[in-house]
Amino acid sequence: GQQLNQSPQSMFIQEGEDVSMNCTSSSIFNTWLWYKQDPGEGPVLLIALYKAGELTSNGRLTAQFGITRKDSFLNISASIPSDVGIYFCAGPGTYKYIFGTGTRLKVLA
Amino acid sequence: KAGVTQTPRYLIKTRGQQVTLSCSPISGHRSVSWYQQTPGQGLQFLFEYFSETQRNKGNFPGRFSGRQFSNSRSEMNVSTLELGDSALYLCASSSWTGTYEQYFGPGTRLTVT
C-alpha cells in the first residue's frame, strides 16, 4: 500500500537556524498536508498544499511540492524553542489519509 | 468555528472492560476518522465514517468498532480491553468535498491496567 517516508527522522538544531524536512511517496499526491504534534496532543494542521510550483506559507513555515509531485518539503525559518515537536506529512488516499513516519524536531536554545 | 472535540480526555480502564470514546467533528464536516497512536508507532488508521457509513477500515481486530450518527458525531468502542490498547486515540474530521484538509481533536488518552 501507499506509504510516506519522512526525513530526517529527528534533528537537533540551534535556535535561530532554518530547518528543512521532506516527505516522499511511492505515488503522486495532488494534495499534501503538514502537521505538527506536541506531546499528548492532537496534530495541528500547519499547511495544506494544493498547487504544484507554488510556495505556501504560514508565518515562518513554507511548504511546496517536489518536482515529481511524489514529494513535498517543509521549511521553518529562524527556529524558536516552541517549534519543538513532531512534524507529519499526509496525503489523501481512498477514504483515508496516508501519514508519514514523522520528523522529530528538537531545538537547542 | 469550533474545532473537533473529543470526550473524555483521559480514561483509565481495567483489562477485559470495554470503553466508548466520543468525537464531535467541525460543523459541516461529514467525514470522521479515528486513529490510534502509541509511542514509536505513529498514527495507525482505525476507520473512517462518512454520512453514517464506514468507508474504510484499518488493520485492527474486531474488538474495535465505531459508528457515526446523523449529526456526524462519532463514537468508537473497544471491547475486552487489553494492556496493548493503551494509547492516544485521535479523531479527525474533514469535508472530502473540494478541500482535503483534515483537522484533529485533542485526543483521548486511554490507559488500560
Side-chain angles (χ1 to χ4, degrees):
Chain A
Q2 288 178 306
Q3 59 181 0
L4 301 180
N5 295 308
Q6 287 188 246
S7 65
Q9 281 189 310
S10 65
M11 56 194 309
F12 281 93
I13 59 168
Q14 292 282 344
E15 184 177 354
E17 286 185 346
D18 295 344
V19 175
S20 185
M21 60 188 78
N22 72 289
C23 184
T24 58
S25 168
S26 56
S27 53
I28 291 173
F29 280 106
N30 291 315
T31 299
W32 284 93
L33 306 175
W34 282 94
Y35 292 88
K36 176 178 181 277
Q37 185 177 28
D38 293 328
E41 300 292 329
V44 174
L45 180 62
L46 299 173
I47 289 180
L49 287 175
Y50 291 101
K51 294 184 179 179
E54 290 187 3
L55 294 176
T56 301
S57 297
N58 179 6
R60 294 178 296 105
L61 278 62
T62 305
Q64 63 182 108
F65 282 86
I67 293 174
T68 65
R69 300 175 72 93
K70 290 185 179 181
D71 51 2
S72 176
F73 301 87
L74 176 70
N75 297 295
I76 305 173
S77 62
S79 58
I80 59 177
S82 62
D83 290 334
V84 164
I86 303 177
Y87 292 79
F88 291 101
C89 60
T94 304
Y95 306 139
K96 63 181 284 187
Y97 287 80
I98 316 299
F99 280 84
T101 49
T103 292
R104 185 180 297 272
L105 183 63
K106 301 179 185 182
V107 180
L108 303 172
Chain B
K1 203 183 237 188
V4 179
T5 58
Q6 291 186 247
T7 56
R9 289 294 312 276
Y10 303 93
L11 206 48
I12 300 175
K13 289 286 189 178
T14 305
R15 257 184 317 175
Q17 289 185 315
Q18 74 165 15
V19 67
T20 299
L21 311 182
S22 181
C23 171
S24 291
I26 290 172
S27 177
H29 284 186
R30 293 160 68 187
S31 169
V32 173
S33 298
W34 288 91
Y35 299 86
Q36 181 195 67
Q37 188 177 38
T38 53
Q41 289 296 315
L43 289 157
Q44 303 296 312
F45 173 74
L46 281 156
F47 26 68
E48 189 260 4
Y49 286 87
F50 185 91
S51 292
E52 303 179 67
T53 299
Q54 185 184 90
R55 298 194 301 181
N56 205 341
K57 187 177 188 299
N59 206 17
F60 278 81
R63 300 185 297 107
F64 291 82
S65 63
R67 60 177 176 168
Q68 187 181 33
F69 302 96
S70 58
N71 62 358
S72 294
R73 191 176 69 84
S74 177
E75 289 181 347
M76 70 161 280
N77 184 276
V78 187
S79 62
T80 319
L81 284 165
E82 300 177 0
L83 295 178
D85 296 333
S86 295
L88 181 66
Y89 289 88
L90 293 160
C91 161
S93 78
S94 53
S95 68
W96 280 100
T97 52
T99 65
Y100 296 96
E101 293 153 35
Q102 182 182 61
Y103 296 90
F104 283 85
T108 294
R109 169 71 62 185
L110 172 65
T111 301
V112 182
T113 63

